[in-house]
Amino acid sequence: MIRLLTNLIDTLGALWILAALAIRSRFNFNSSYWNWRLHTAFPNAIVPGGKVGKLKFALEYARWAYRIQRLR
């Protein structure tokens, strides 16, 4: 039960992080930040799983960023 609650909190925090990044970049997902983020995550420019894979990895990154921000 605790693990489920922790995962839920991390997911909500991750969505908050992604929303904040989107607002800061003015929803321009072709900006230099997003291009840098994509190229550092996937150096050969191939995202495993296509668009669904890209969303999965974005959420995973945001969960990590949320945990780092909270120092957990």
Side-chain angles (χ1 to χ4, degrees), residues 5-64:
L5 188 57
T6 301
N7 285 340
L8 178 64
I9 290 170
D10 285 348
T11 300
L12 292 174
L15 293 173
W16 180 258
I17 294 285
L18 287 175
L21 285 172
I23 290 168
R24 285 184 193 137
S25 66
R26 296 184 179 138
F27 297 92
N28 180 9
F29 298 112
N30 290 322
S31 68
S32 59
Y33 172 78
W34 292 106
N35 284 326
W36 169 80
R37 186 73 245 157
L38 183 63
H39 292 298
T40 55
F42 307 105
N44 58 1
I46 298 172
V47 180
K51 288 185 179 186
V52 174
K54 191 186 257 186
L55 288 173
K56 177 185 163 206
F57 285 114
L59 188 59
E60 185 179 321
Y61 163 73
R63 280 186 184 129
W64 172 82

